[in-house]
Amino acid sequence: MKRGNLLAQPFVYILVLVTMALVLFFGVKSVRDIMMVSEDVQLGDLIIQLRNYVFLMSKFDVGSYKTFRYTVPTKVMRICFLNTETELSADGIDEFVAAVMEQSVNDNVFIEPFDAFTQESYTLASLWVDPRENPLCFFVQGKGAISLGLETVFDGTTLAVAVRRDAP
């Protein structure tokens, strides 16, 4: 080997190491970003599925009941449903959560913790919550699943879909 090649060889190794470090750094960052987006997509899918069930149930007869089960993202601790037309009445809601819910004008579904996702509150039309249990919250069960009941009710003026803890 020539003497010039021997002097250049350490620089080639250093350049290769720096390139590998940059590829690893940006690769890990990209994978982390994809994981974060995938949980947002999974949460969006939950809301779309729930919206579809509520729409479907609003077309059924009064008294129709369906159990809704869904696997939620691992970061979700609790999902709360709010009746925006009445005051908050349920116990177990801390002041911060109550303040967020009271400031909401139209949103009636809240995902906790509030800082885990890009959007933490949603609006579902025709959704009704009993004013005695307002907001109605569901803690995530084992393996990241929720189970709730949807029942078609007549609230005095219109058909709505009530969220229930279990079968009537």
Side-chain angles (χ1 to χ4, degrees):
M1 222 180 227
K2 292 185 178 180
R3 185 177 171 106
N5 287 345
L6 288 175
L7 291 175
Q9 195 170 17
F11 294 111
V12 171
Y13 286 136
I14 291 171
L15 182 64
V16 167
L17 286 174
V18 167
T19 304
M20 286 175 50
L22 289 173
V23 167
L24 282 174
F25 173 76
F26 287 112
V28 168
K29 183 181 179 309
S30 296
V31 168
R32 193 176 320 135
D33 291 345
I34 289 171
M35 294 295 285
M36 181 73 127
V37 169
S38 72
E39 290 207 346
D40 280 341
V41 169
Q42 188 178 6
L43 181 62
D45 187 50
L46 164 70
I47 297 301
I48 289 169
Q49 292 289 331
L50 189 57
R51 187 173 285 139
N52 289 341
Y53 268 102
V54 168
F55 177 77
L56 181 68
M57 292 298 295
S58 69
K59 305 301 180 198
F60 289 171
D61 290 336
V62 173
S64 298
Y65 185 87
K66 173 89 172 140
T67 300
F68 178 79
R69 289 185 180 90
Y70 197 84
T71 302
V72 298
T74 56
K75 291 183 198 172
V76 174
M77 292 175 16
R78 178 166 70 170
I79 297 177
C80 293
F81 297 91
L82 177 69
N83 187 337
T84 56
E85 298 173 0
T86 61
E87 296 288 322
L88 296 180
S89 61
D91 295 329
I93 303 296
D94 64 32
E95 292 178 18
F96 176 72
V97 173
V100 169
M101 289 179 177
E102 286 173 349
Q103 288 179 351
S104 173
V105 177
N106 294 324
D107 292 343
N108 56 0
V109 179
F110 295 87
I111 310 297
E112 292 183 52
F114 291 129
D115 60 349
F117 300 97
T118 54
Q119 184 177 353
E120 67 278 340
S121 62
Y122 299 88
T123 302
L124 294 180
S126 302
L127 192 70
W128 185 81
V129 175
D130 187 346
R132 295 172 295 187
E133 288 189 281
N134 192 31
L136 179 59
C137 295
F138 295 87
F139 284 95
V140 175
Q141 301 166 354
K143 296 187 179 180
I146 62 163
S147 179
L148 53 100
L150 298 173
E151 181 184 8
T152 306
V153 296
F154 185 70
D155 69 357
T157 57
T158 60
L159 280 178
V161 177
V163 180
R164 307 273 192 225
R165 290 201 182 278
D166 42 33

